[in-house]
Amino acid sequence: QVQLLESGGGLVQAGGSLRLSCAASGRTFSSYGMGWFRQAPGKEREYVALISSSGYNILYSDSVKGRFTISRDNAKLTVYLQMNSLKPEDTAVYYCAVRSSRTFGVSFYQDDYAYWGQGTQVTVSS
């Protein structure tokens, strides 16, 4: 089994920055791709940024491209999401997730992610 723990959320003014972290355990971390997803109140959960097991393949949603950066440190068993130029529409609960199988690529289908963290709240005020 896999356990994921997100941290780094909080309240920030529009235009500010936050860095989210997701620490993983219980799996050979370097062999699995990971992703960041978010869910705002009354909205469906959507993908934000994805990263392959090696860190070489990365995909961002159009809404965050150019503002957010996903990265991973396999030695520390951690994936990060650096969020800059935050907007009120970025307000949501952010989740990290681990792929259900080993692969070299990335996927934005949520069914391809077997394990999910508890989420961390990000609130951006105007």
Side-chain angles (χ1 to χ4, degrees):
Q1 299 297 319
V2 174
Q3 288 78 46
L4 302 173
L5 180 60
E6 302 101 330
S7 62
L11 175 65
V12 65
Q13 291 283 328
S17 298
L18 286 173
R19 187 179 72 160
L20 305 184
S21 299
C22 177
S25 64
R27 173 174 286 201
T28 305
F29 180 82
S30 62
S31 298
Y32 293 87
M34 299 185 69
W36 283 100
F37 300 80
R38 68 186 182 186
Q39 186 169 29
K43 305 296 184 182
E44 297 292 326
R45 188 166 61 191
E46 62 182 2
Y47 90 95
V48 176
L50 312 170
I51 190 167
S52 63
S53 58
S54 67
Y56 182 77
N57 298 115
I58 293 174
L59 180 65
Y60 297 99
S61 69
D62 289 340
S63 62
V64 307
K65 190 174 184 179
R67 300 187 297 119
F68 291 10
T69 303
I70 189 172
S71 62
R72 65 189 297 158
D73 187 335
N74 287 343
K76 296 182 178 180
L77 308 181
T78 302
V79 63
Y80 304 96
L81 185 68
Q82 178 66 48
M83 305 185 295
N84 298 326
S85 302
L86 283 162
K87 304 175 180 179
E89 52 262 43
D90 295 319
T91 295
V93 176
Y94 284 70
Y95 301 88
C96 66
V98 179
R99 292 287 298 274
S100 59
S101 61
R102 300 182 183 188
T103 179
F104 292 112
V106 297
S107 173
F108 54 74
Y109 294 107
Q110 295 183 34
D111 286 347
D112 287 341
Y113 293 82
Y115 302 98
W116 296 78
Q118 83 290 342
T120 184
Q121 176 70 48
V122 172
T123 303
V124 184
S125 61
S126 60

